Amino acid sequence: MELKICHIYPDLLNLYGDRGNIAVLAQRCRARGIDVSVHPLPLGERGDFSAYDLFFIGGGQDADQALLLDEIQQWRGGEIRAAIEDGKALLAICGGYQLLGHSYRTWDGKEMDCIGALDFYSVGDKTRMIGDYMFQWDEPSGGVKVVGFENHSAKTFLGSGVRPFGNVLAGYGNNGEDGTEGVRYHNVFGTYSHGPLLPKNPILADWLIRLALERKYGSAELAPLNDVLEERAHRYMVERLTKREA
Ligand code: GLN
C-alpha cells in the first residue's frame, strides 16, 4: 500500500511546529510497511491534486493568510474544494482551517474571502484565545478526548452544512461561546489545535491514515503500534486539564 501526503503552503502556514503532524503520519505509515511520500506545495507551486491521498494545511498569522489569498482564490482553492468533494482526507489547523470557510474578517477589520469549501465563517476579536485545551470527539466509539494547544483571535461559527469536530471540555474551541470545536465534513478535519496535535492523539493520526487508505483501496486494517509514550503524554494532558477545570 502507498500513501501520498500533500503539505499545502508549508512555507507560510506552519506555526508552533504544525509540520510535526506530517512527521507523525509518515512515521506511523512506515512502521506498518506502508510506502509513504510527502509532497510540499509552497506558494506558487502547482501539483497534481488528484495524485495525493491525504492533505495537510497548518496555521498561520493573519499576514501570512493575506499573502496567499490571491492564489488560493484564483486556483488552489478550486483544487482543494475538488479534493474535499472527492472524499480525500484533509487535516487543517487554525489559519489553514479558517481558509476553508466562507470568509474571515480580522480583528482590525480586514475582510478575507476564503474558499467556501465548508459552511462556516470566522470573525476576529481583540481578545485572543490562548492555551492548552481539550475536546471530546464522539466519532470513534467511546468519545475520545483530544488534547491540544490553541492560539487564535478569530471566532469561528459553523453553518448547518457541517458538524463540529468535538465539544469543548476545557478552553475555547471555535469561539468560546457555543461549546463547539473544529469542523467535520466528508473526510475533512478542521481544528484550532496547533503544533503537536497528532503525537499526543495517535488515535486521530490513525483515523486519518485509515480514511485515506480506505478511500484509495476500499478497506484498510492498521496493525496496532506501541503507543506507550504517546498514551502517557495524552493522559498527562487530560489529567492536567481536568484538574484545571475542576
Ligand atoms: N490568524 C488567525 C487567528 O489569529 C490564525 C492564527 C493561527 O493560526 N494561530 O485567528
Side-chain angles (χ1 to χ4, degrees):
M1 286 203 280
E2 185 193 13
L3 201 72
K4 290 190 174 163
I5 302 176
C6 177
H7 189 174
I8 302 173
Y9 297 126
D11 47 341
L12 291 171
L13 300 182
N14 177 40
L15 283 178
Y16 311 113
D18 283 338
R19 77 172 67 235
N21 292 310
I22 299 226
V24 169
L25 291 167
Q27 177 52 30
R28 295 183 77 82
C29 286
R30 282 189 202 109
R32 292 167 166 127
I34 300 164
D35 274 341
V36 64
S37 53
V38 178
H39 305 261
L41 279 189
L43 186 70
E45 202 166 302
R46 295 240 179 198
D48 177 6
F49 269 54
S50 65
Y52 310 125
D53 307 304
L54 203 165
F55 294 84
F56 176 78
I57 315 178
Q61 292 162 6
D62 293 355
D64 295 323
Q65 291 170 285
L67 280 177
L68 56 83
L69 214 54
D70 275 354
E71 177 185 286
I72 209 166
Q73 282 163 354
Q74 278 169 26
W75 52 272
R76 195 171 290 190
E79 292 180 315
I80 297 172
R81 277 197 301 272
I84 290 173
E85 291 304 321
D86 197 21
K88 297 285 174 83
L90 188 160
L91 174 63
I93 311 271
C94 200
Y97 162 34
Q98 292 161 359
L99 289 169
L100 301 181
H102 298 298
S103 60
Y104 171 31
R105 190 174 73 233
T106 63
W107 67 273
D108 54 353
K110 291 189 192 76
E111 292 285 349
M112 298 192 203
D113 268 339
C114 302
I115 69 170
L118 272 61
D119 184 16
F120 65 82
Y121 67 94
S122 307
V123 184
D125 193 275
K126 284 202 176 103
T127 312
R128 295 191 72 81
M129 289 163 272
I130 306 178
D132 294 316
Y133 78 130
M134 172 166 69
F135 58 96
Q136 181 147 342
W137 173 30
D138 286 325
E139 195 159 9
S141 58
V144 167
K145 289 178 176 142
V146 177
V147 292
F149 169 76
E150 60 184 331
N151 182 356
H152 51 112
S153 73
K155 294 183 170 190
T156 291
F157 297 94
L158 304 182
S160 57
V162 292
R163 61 188 196 278
F165 183 176
N167 302 311
V168 176
L169 298 172
Y172 301 94
N174 277 336
N175 48 53
E177 295 171 17
D178 63 14
T180 66
E181 155 56 17
V183 72
R184 285 284 287 113
Y185 175 76
H186 292 340
N187 287 335
V188 179
F189 291 72
T191 177
Y192 271 110
S193 183
H194 266 298
L197 169 67
L198 298 183
K200 283 185 290 195
N201 301 282
I203 189 171
L204 177 57
D206 284 355
W207 199 269
L208 286 159
I209 293 169
R210 192 179 304 104
L211 283 178
L213 290 174
E214 278 173 358
R215 187 198 162 279
K216 188 169 188 178
Y217 296 106
S219 67
E221 277 302 312
L222 294 186
L225 299 179
N226 180 345
D227 284 332
V228 171
L229 291 178
E230 289 82 349
E231 277 161 16
R232 203 180 288 167
H234 180 266
R235 207 165 40 244
Y236 176 82
M237 285 311 298
V238 169
E239 282 165 14
R240 205 166 104 180
L241 289 166
T242 305
K243 265 191 216 138
R244 190 183 84 186
E245 296 303 298

